[in-house]
């Protein structure tokens, strides 16, 4: 079985060594350098998740990915995640088919409904339409991937009548995933549309998501579709030792979850809850290369997944700490996971 490994970022706002936040512009430039370094370190995929906040200043990840694509040759590049509900499927398809052209066929897209909802008021969408927006737009995106003229009619955008959507892809559709955070209906939707499944696991025991992987493959079989891959996306931080990784990650994790808790309904983390999440049965991959590698290997097996994407970085970490994370993940974690799974 072939396993692949990626790094995802939300463009988390960096700080300098004295804790002073860097500008949004410098943070974005740093992400470009991180993507280039990820290829050098042997990482298979580099993803950028769409966000629209002061602490995640990354509203146009596809532009940043294009800058990385022009200066790399091997690494696959994509969204992690694109909030399709508050975007136009035609424009998303055009942006990523353009990225696919620039990169020579290395583009991917992870589509999501929007667990971070700041894009809804920004672009004038009503949260009351949350489900309908994603259902219709995901269905249209599936039609666009087929190639050729598209005819479509729905409630969420203007209809299309035999419309040619450019640019055309050179060698068939690029990979598309649907991000799922624990909704069985989203798992069934991914199977129905023929998209792969991305399990976003940010808290609690990852093993509980095995039921979703199994549901996904059963649904594909029932619908007459071939098996499709499952990936796991989870936060983490790699440093030279477990103690160093936790010392660097914990205060930033506490602060960002506390900030997001009122909107997202998160519990405020404590040191005890952090220890549980960074332990063998938690969702955070924080530690030395050996600790992180063993946890990844265990959960890939348990979840029937063939790809793991580490969501690295937090607001307040330095670019040097992020580069060390990338170096260790590419040069030590990935080879060790492959060895454990062989």
């Amino acid at each position: 079985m072939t396993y692949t490994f990626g790094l995802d970022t939300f463009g988390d706002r960096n700080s300098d060594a004295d804790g002073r936040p860097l500008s949004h512009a410098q943070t974005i430039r740093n992400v470009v350098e991180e993507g280039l370094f990820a290829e050098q370190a042997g990482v298979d995929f580099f993803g950028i998740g769409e966000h629209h906040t002061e602490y995640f200043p990354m509203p146009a990840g596809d532009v940043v990915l294009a800058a990385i694509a022009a200066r790399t040759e091997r690494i696959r590049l994509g969204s992690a995640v694109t909030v399709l509900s508050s975007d136009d499927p035609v424009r998303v398809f055009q942006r990523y088919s353009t990225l696919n052209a620039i990169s020579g066929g290395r583009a991917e897209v992870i589509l999501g409904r929007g667990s971070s909802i700041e894009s809804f008021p920004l672009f004038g969408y009503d949260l009351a339409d949350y489900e309908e927006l994603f259902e219709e737009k995901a269905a249209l995106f599936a039609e666009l991937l087929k190639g050729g003229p598209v005819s479509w009619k729905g409630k969420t955008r203007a209809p299309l009548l035999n419309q040619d959507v450019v640019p055309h892809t050179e060698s068939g559709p690029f990979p598309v995933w649907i991000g799922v955070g624990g909704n069985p209906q989203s798992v069934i939707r991914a199977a129905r549309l023929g998209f792969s499944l991305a399990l976003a696991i940010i808290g609690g025991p990852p093993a509980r998501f095995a039921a979703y992987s199994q549901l996904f493959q059963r649904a594909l079989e029932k619908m007459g579709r071939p098996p499709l891959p499952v990936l796991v996306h989870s936060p983490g931080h790699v440093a030279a030792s477990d103690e160093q990784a936790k010392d660097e990650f914990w205060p930033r994790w506490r602060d960002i979850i506390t900030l997001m808790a009122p909107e997202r309904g998160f519990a405020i983390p404590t040191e005890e809850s952090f220890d549980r999440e960074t332990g063998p049965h938690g969702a955070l991959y924080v530690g030395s290369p050996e600790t992180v590698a063993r946890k990844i290997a265990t959960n890939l097996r348990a979840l029937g997944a063939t790809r793991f994407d580490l969501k690295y970085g937090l607001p307040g970490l330095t670019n040097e700490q992020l580069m060390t994370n990338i170096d260790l993940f590419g040069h030590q974690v990935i080879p060790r996971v492959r060895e454990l799974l062989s």
Side-chain angles (χ1 to χ4, degrees):
M1 185 175 292
T2 301
Y3 294 93
T4 55
F5 302 91
L7 286 167
D8 296 338
T9 178
F10 296 162
D12 312 59
R13 190 174 183 183
N14 297 170
S15 289
D16 64 17
D18 295 321
R20 292 185 296 262
L22 302 183
S23 68
H24 288 175
Q26 186 59 55
T27 294
I28 291 169
R29 289 191 289 270
N30 286 350
V31 170
V32 175
E33 297 306 314
E34 290 157 21
L36 301 180
F37 187 53
E39 176 170 87
Q40 297 169 22
V43 178
D44 299 309
F45 173 84
F46 189 80
I48 298 179
E50 174 191 350
H51 285 78
H52 303 263
T53 66
E54 189 276 335
Y55 46 87
F56 296 144
M58 190 52 71
D62 48 289
V63 177
V64 182
L65 291 167
I68 297 169
R71 297 169 60 189
T72 54
E73 297 179 354
R74 178 195 59 80
I75 194 166
R76 298 193 65 82
L77 302 163
S79 69
V81 66
T82 293
V83 185
L84 188 65
S85 304
S86 57
D87 211 328
D88 186 295
V90 174
R91 293 296 287 144
V92 174
F93 174 82
Q94 291 179 319
R95 294 197 301 267
Y96 281 90
S97 57
T98 299
L99 176 65
N100 206 46
I102 293 169
S103 65
R106 291 182 280 135
E108 300 186 12
V109 179
I110 300 178
L111 303 175
R113 295 185 301 169
S115 57
S116 294
I117 57 173
E118 64 269 5
S119 61
F120 281 74
L122 185 62
F123 298 119
Y125 288 94
D126 190 339
L127 279 171
D129 301 325
Y130 187 84
E131 291 288 346
E132 183 180 43
L133 284 166
F134 190 73
E135 178 66 35
E136 278 204 359
K137 292 184 177 188
L140 173 53
F141 202 86
E143 290 299 313
L144 293 164
L145 281 178
K146 294 176 182 178
V150 177
S151 294
W152 178 90
K153 186 176 182 180
K155 299 178 181 178
T156 57
R157 75 173 312 279
L160 300 173
L161 180 60
N162 203 34
Q163 184 70 52
D164 184 27
V165 180
V166 299
H168 302 158
T169 55
E170 288 180 308
S171 55
F174 45 79
V176 179
W177 310 70
I178 283 190
V180 175
N183 187 322
Q185 287 73 33
S186 295
V187 175
I188 299 298
R189 180 189 291 118
R192 186 178 73 248
L193 295 175
F195 296 157
S196 299
L197 183 66
L199 298 173
I201 307 175
I202 63 174
R208 77 190 193 280
F209 280 78
Y212 295 111
S213 295
Q214 296 160 9
L215 174 63
F216 179 60
Q217 301 299 348
R218 288 198 306 269
L220 288 169
E221 183 178 7
K222 186 175 180 180
M223 296 171 189
R225 295 184 179 276
L228 289 170
V230 175
L231 76 79
V232 177
H233 157 109
S234 289
H237 182 64
V238 190
S241 67
D242 289 352
E243 182 179 12
Q244 181 182 348
K246 290 179 179 181
D247 286 347
E248 292 175 353
F249 194 82
W250 158 242
R252 281 85 184 185
W253 178 255
R254 177 197 61 213
D255 292 349
I256 192 62
I257 297 301
T258 300
L259 181 64
M260 297 166 64
E263 177 188 287
R264 303 285 295 276
F266 292 153
I268 303 298
T270 64
E271 291 193 48
E272 291 75 18
S273 69
F274 181 69
D275 286 342
R276 286 196 302 272
E277 293 291 2
T278 57
H281 306 294
L284 299 180
Y285 295 73
V286 179
S288 68
E290 180 68 16
T291 295
V292 172
R294 286 188 174 277
K295 193 167 183 176
I296 291 171
T298 295
N299 286 320
L300 285 176
R301 286 196 194 98
L303 298 172
T306 56
R307 179 165 133 193
F308 180 86
D309 286 0
L310 181 75
K311 193 278 158 187
Y312 77 98
L314 283 175
L317 289 171
T318 67
N319 181 243
E320 181 181 5
Q321 290 169 329
L322 301 186
M323 288 298 215
T324 298
N325 179 104
I326 294 168
D327 183 26
L328 293 173
F329 186 76
H331 288 122
Q332 296 189 35
V333 174
I334 292 175
R336 181 59 174 143
V337 177
R338 291 198 166 116
E339 180 182 34
L340 290 167
L341 292 172
S342 63

